[in-house]
Amino acid sequence: MVPADMFAHLGSTIGGLMFVWAIFQQYFPYEVRRHIEKYSQRLVGYVYPYIQITFNEFTGERLMRSEAYSAIENYLSSKSSTQAKRLKADIKNNQSLVLSMDDHEEVSDEFKGVKVWWASGKNISKQQTFSYTPINDEKRYYKLNFHKGQRELIIGPYLTHVLKEGKAIRVRNRQRKLYTNNGSHWSHVVFEHPATFKTLAMEPEKKQDIIDDLMAFSKAEEFYASIGRAWKRGYLLYGPPGTGKSTMIAAMANLLGYDLYDLELTAVKDNTELRRLLIETSSKSIIVIEDIDCSLDLTGQRRKRKEKVEEDEEKDPREKLAKEERETKPSQVTLSGLLNFIDGLWSACRGERLIVFTTNYVEKLDAALIRKGRMDKHIELSYCNFESFKVLARNYLKLEAHHLFPKIRGLLEQTNMTPADVAEHLMPKSLTGLAENCLHNLIQALEQEIENGKLKAEE
Ligand SMILES: Nc1ncnc2c1ncn2[C@@H]1O[C@H](COP(=O)(O)OP(=O)(O)OP(=O)(O)O)[C@@H](O)[C@H]1O
Ligand SMILES: [Mg+2]
């Protein structure tokens, strides 16, 4: 047959089939048609060796966006950017460009040597509604195809892997937030503090120890579960002002990719409110209570309460109540409220959380608060020594070594200067400022400090 003839023939055959289909649809009653479709599907099922699973974007009655769908979307984004020919681009969180596969694209994936195929698509709902604003009726979905011999592997381990990985990608890409409480509610801003452990001035071994501790914690979900402990860890950072406590917290958040909750205890009315605030915190977060010694009258509170009860014994109850209210107005959060939270409630919240307390006076704190199990790791941040200075010199002046370093080392050993002060002197005073000038500034300041120290000692 000549090709042209063949196409003509094919055309007429298709035409004929369509005609038969139209007649079939028109004249066979719905019931019969349904049966035929059902059995033909079943027949295909016997011959066709693949299984298909559909993940719809919206599920449930209230049409919530399906968590599985968005996890799959994240999971496939890396695969589709290398495989798919048509991609959708979107800027998420004002941060980076995110590519995902366009509708009706297909990508393949491999898991333990087994190949699967993912396809994207959308249904456009036929339902007509009258409205002036166009309603988006598209319902997207992902379809997973795989060989039926691999059913166990794919439905179990593979899908678990996809969902977990997808969620991890979302966490990695999300924009982090800094929450602060004004009274009983959290409000947040985008957290974009540039501090990292690399720029933190501290002895290298001590720094590495903290990094290892944090990383081990963040990966230890199974371990914590297996020993029956809540996935929580408490840090106590202590040291004089300007030694980098707040900076270290920012570096921790950046290292782990966690949100920060900066809890202002003095603004919290009472223990109930404290509990509510803490329950509202999300997983993967660091809860920070700065200057814990100032936020709570930690030392005296328990004792004072008892005394008060004794002395008020015979008074009129109403008067007593009013007096108590007046006295404890600023914040009724008590040490025991805080301890209860750390031990009980805190442990009941799901997901990993770090709690970090900072203080300038570690010796002022109640021993109950800082015992191990509540504050697992105590980190002292101290005055600038030579090791810390070298980190600052590298950051601020891009200097690894300099002939003035030995002199500075000697001076640092004789003084107590905080990293904040040292950093201030290393700040170039002009754009073209020479590194050497900054070092001379620092030396001058250190010598001045030593001089002041001597004068004070004489007095
Ligand atoms: N160890 C350090 N490494 C790098 N920079 C530091 C360090 N310590 C202090 N700085 C610098 O000094 C500034 C003040 O430090 P930071 O706010 O972290 O001190 P702090 O210990 O929290 O003090 P405070 O007890 O008063 O809250 C920071 O902006 C930072 O640039
Ligand atoms: Mg601070």
Side-chain angles (χ1 to χ4, degrees), residues 265 274 289 292 296 334-342 357 369:
L265 269 190
L274 175 69
I289 303 181
I292 180 78
L296 271 184
T334 58
L335 174 63
S336 68
L338 193 63
L339 296 182
N340 282 342
F341 138 69
I342 296 174
F357 288 69
L369 183 65

Side-chain angles (χ1 to χ4, degrees), residues 240-247 249 290-291 358 360:
T243 48
K245 295 180 293 298
S246 306
T247 313
I249 295 172
E290 290 253 30
D291 298 319
T358 76
N360 295 139

Side-chain angles (χ1 to χ4, degrees), residues 193 199-202 239-248 290-291 358-360 381 388 392 395-396 418-421 423:
H193 199 293
T199 59
L200 191 72
M202 201 176 189
T243 48
K245 295 180 293 298
S246 306
T247 313
M248 177 179 273
E290 290 253 30
D291 298 319
T358 76
T359 181
N360 295 139
L381 287 131
S388 313
L392 291 173
N395 292 340
Y396 285 73
T418 61
D421 286 337

Side-chain angles (χ1 to χ4, degrees), residues 297-313:
D297 187 6
L298 290 174
T299 39
Q301 199 128 15
R302 284 194 292 193
R303 204 173 343 111
K304 230 192 304 182
R305 299 216 132 203
K306 243 187 241 140
E307 277 168 19
K308 203 179 337 156
V309 172
E310 276 159 23
E311 93 184 28
D312 286 351
E313 216 81 87

Side-chain angles (χ1 to χ4, degrees), residues 132-326:
Y132 290 105
T133 50
I135 300 176
N136 194 358
D137 270 352
E138 295 172 347
K139 297 204 171 94
R140 285 170 210 285
Y141 57 81
Y142 284 113
K143 283 202 160 114
L144 170 66
N145 282 290
F146 55 92
H147 196 278
K148 65 180 176 191
Q150 307 296 346
R151 180 191 278 268
E152 304 262 289
L153 177 74
I154 300 302
I155 292 180
Y158 177 68
L159 281 182
T160 316
H161 160 77
V162 169
L163 296 182
K164 201 168 160 190
E165 192 59 25
K167 274 185 201 155
I169 292 173
R170 186 177 56 211
V171 168
R172 247 178 277 145
N173 293 340
R174 77 180 168 159
Q175 195 165 38
R176 279 166 311 111
K177 300 196 180 104
L178 169 64
Y179 293 83
T180 44
N181 64 310
N182 43 11
S184 58
H185 292 285
W186 292 112
S187 52
H188 66 255
V189 292
V190 175
F191 175 74
E192 279 175 327
H193 199 293
T196 61
F197 272 97
K198 196 165 156 263
T199 59
L200 191 72
M202 201 176 189
E203 297 89 325
E205 304 90 62
K206 206 166 151 190
K207 203 192 307 193
Q208 194 56 46
D209 178 54
I210 298 168
I211 295 175
D212 291 346
D213 191 85
L214 287 167
M215 292 316 286
F217 168 78
S218 72
K219 294 196 185 108
E221 179 170 19
E222 268 123 52
F223 174 71
Y224 275 79
S226 72
I227 57 169
R229 273 175 75 149
W231 196 9
K232 309 285 182 291
R233 198 157 172 80
Y235 280 74
L236 174 70
L237 308 185
Y238 62 96
T243 48
K245 295 180 293 298
S246 306
T247 313
M248 177 179 273
I249 295 172
M252 284 175 166
N254 284 332
L255 177 75
L256 297 171
Y258 286 7
D259 288 328
L260 265 184
Y261 287 86
D262 193 355
L263 182 63
E264 179 56 55
L265 269 190
T266 49
V268 182
K269 208 168 74 227
D270 51 25
N271 291 339
T272 322
E273 203 169 274
L274 175 69
R275 190 179 315 155
R276 224 210 9 258
L277 279 170
L278 292 164
I279 289 177
E280 277 172 19
T281 60
S282 62
S283 154
K284 288 189 187 297
S285 56
I286 303 183
I287 299 165
V288 183
I289 303 181
E290 290 253 30
D291 298 319
I292 180 78
D293 51 301
C294 309
S295 324
L296 271 184
D297 187 6
L298 290 174
T299 39
Q301 199 128 15
R302 284 194 292 193
R303 204 173 343 111
K304 230 192 304 182
R305 299 216 132 203
K306 243 187 241 140
E307 277 168 19
K308 203 179 337 156
V309 172
E310 276 159 23
E311 93 184 28
D312 286 351
E313 216 81 87
E314 320 84 0
K315 279 192 191 153
D316 176 41
R318 254 175 308 161
E319 201 181 304
K320 193 170 106 186
L321 216 81
K323 189 176 173 224
E324 203 160 54
E325 212 169 284
R326 240 180 298 122

